[in-house]
Amino acid sequence: MEGKKTREEVEKSGMIDTWMRKHRLIYTGATKHPFILSIRDGTVDLEAFKTWLGQDYIFVRAFAPFVASVLIKAWKESDDSSDMEVILSGMASLNDEIAWFKSETAKWGVQLSEVVPQKANQDYCRFLESLMSPDVEYTVAITAFWAIEAVYQASFALCLEDGSKTPAELRETCQRWGNDGFGQYCNSLQKIANRRLGKTPDDVLTKAEVTLLRVLEHEVEFWNMSHGAA
Ligand SMILES: Cc1ncc(CNC=O)c(N)n1
């Protein structure tokens, strides 16, 4: 019989893995969403793709200040100076990413000045803003940060696997988040999160788990936008 894991056992294997097993269904809902599966099997509606592209540009603009807030928390609270370098590398990539969104939307004829944030996007951006508060612990923020990046990494890596029928014109998008370098970066964030979660008080641990679940829910809602709005 499988009993409840002791705190010590969980620390060895890593809290993130434990939570991924515990919340497998919602994690799979976020990483194997019908929109992603439609890219992977080549049946994607290109209007849905364009909707996602325009909405994600708005999201990434709100995500950059969130990452900046995590950097500030790392600087103030972290017990390991290499955390800042990992977070800073993520921020640097966002500079390139925002430029990429501008050229990619131009390519697809998506007028960024005319993109109106949909409700799911607004809700997600507002949630990010709540996490920027100085009252939110570094451990909670870095867990959310990992989850946000990991969902995109897992989703788009799926579209690049052998046997996937991702349309040629979408491969570059999938590469952006599905490439090995981005995978390594997500692993580095996961290690930081695990290290922090392994030595955090129970009340903060609970907050981090709840926050992780909120991220996964927002990611599902974000993908859902691409259905309704073609
Ligand atoms: C909704 C959402 N979640 C995660 C990411 C990936 N992080 C930065 O690009 C993203 N672009 N959009």
Side-chain angles (χ1 to χ4, degrees), residues 22-84:
K22 183 172 166 193
H23 305 296
R24 173 63 52 197
L25 268 177
I26 171 90
Y27 180 72
T28 304
T31 55
K32 295 190 171 162
H33 188 275
F35 175 67
I36 282 296
L37 297 179
S38 78
I39 293 178
R40 182 191 156 89
D41 69 18
T43 64
V44 60
D45 172 0
L46 292 178
E47 285 307 314
F49 177 76
K50 288 197 229 173
T51 298
W52 165 79
L53 194 63
Q55 292 296 321
D56 211 37
Y57 169 75
I58 295 175
F59 175 83
V60 168
R61 292 193 69 93
F63 184 59
F66 164 71
V67 179
S69 78
V70 182
L71 184 71
I72 293 170
K73 290 186 211 293
W75 173 62
K76 290 196 177 169
E77 294 178 48
S78 183
D79 47 318
D80 186 333
S81 62
S82 65
D83 290 11
M84 263 185 76

Side-chain angles (χ1 to χ4, degrees), residues 4-225:
K4 196 174 189 307
K5 281 198 171 55
T6 64
R7 186 67 188 257
E8 200 180 351
E9 281 171 318
V10 160
E11 276 167 34
K12 268 189 222 140
S13 60
M15 193 46 99
I16 296 286
D17 288 316
T18 305
W19 284 344
M20 287 302 93
R21 279 193 294 273
K22 183 172 166 193
H23 305 296
R24 173 63 52 197
L25 268 177
I26 171 90
Y27 180 72
T28 304
T31 55
K32 295 190 171 162
H33 188 275
F35 175 67
I36 282 296
L37 297 179
S38 78
I39 293 178
R40 182 191 156 89
D41 69 18
T43 64
V44 60
D45 172 0
L46 292 178
E47 285 307 314
F49 177 76
K50 288 197 229 173
T51 298
W52 165 79
L53 194 63
Q55 292 296 321
D56 211 37
Y57 169 75
I58 295 175
F59 175 83
V60 168
R61 292 193 69 93
F63 184 59
F66 164 71
V67 179
S69 78
V70 182
L71 184 71
I72 293 170
K73 290 186 211 293
W75 173 62
K76 290 196 177 169
E77 294 178 48
S78 183
D79 47 318
D80 186 333
S81 62
S82 65
D83 290 11
M84 263 185 76
E85 279 133 55
V86 175
I87 299 161
L88 203 51
S89 78
M91 278 203 77
S93 317
L94 288 178
N95 185 36
D96 182 58
E97 193 166 305
I98 286 174
W100 177 82
F101 269 105
K102 287 187 178 163
S103 70
E104 193 67 14
T105 47
K107 208 165 93 186
W108 288 92
V110 175
Q111 214 74 50
L112 283 178
S113 57
E114 283 163 23
V115 177
V116 178
Q118 293 186 28
K119 181 162 186 304
N121 200 357
Q122 284 174 1
D123 289 349
Y124 200 175
C125 291
R126 213 171 296 131
F127 171 73
L128 283 186
E129 207 173 334
S130 73
L131 295 177
M132 295 181 212
S133 159
D135 298 339
V136 174
E137 294 83 357
Y138 173 53
T139 304
V140 173
I142 195 81
T143 302
F145 184 26
W146 165 78
I148 294 167
E149 300 288 47
V151 166
Y152 262 45
Q153 198 278 328
S155 298
F156 285 111
L158 204 65
C159 302
L160 298 172
E161 277 178 358
D162 287 345
S164 63
K165 301 192 186 78
T166 300
E169 66 268 37
L170 302 189
R171 287 195 76 84
E172 191 187 300
T173 300
C174 300
Q175 283 288 352
R176 174 156 286 280
W177 292 281
N179 76 77
D180 291 341
F182 196 76
Q184 290 304 315
Y185 159 69
C186 290
N187 286 340
S188 300
L189 289 177
Q190 184 170 343
K191 264 177 90 170
I192 297 171
N194 273 329
R195 191 192 79 235
R196 298 288 309 189
L197 292 165
K199 49 187 168 196
T200 204
D202 278 340
D203 62 322
V204 179
L205 203 59
T206 303
K207 274 195 237 176
E209 186 175 10
V210 170
T211 303
L212 167 64
L213 287 172
R214 291 294 94 81
V215 167
L216 297 176
E217 286 163 8
H218 280 296
E219 287 290 339
V220 171
E221 290 301 320
F222 201 91
W223 293 131
N224 282 347
M225 282 191 299

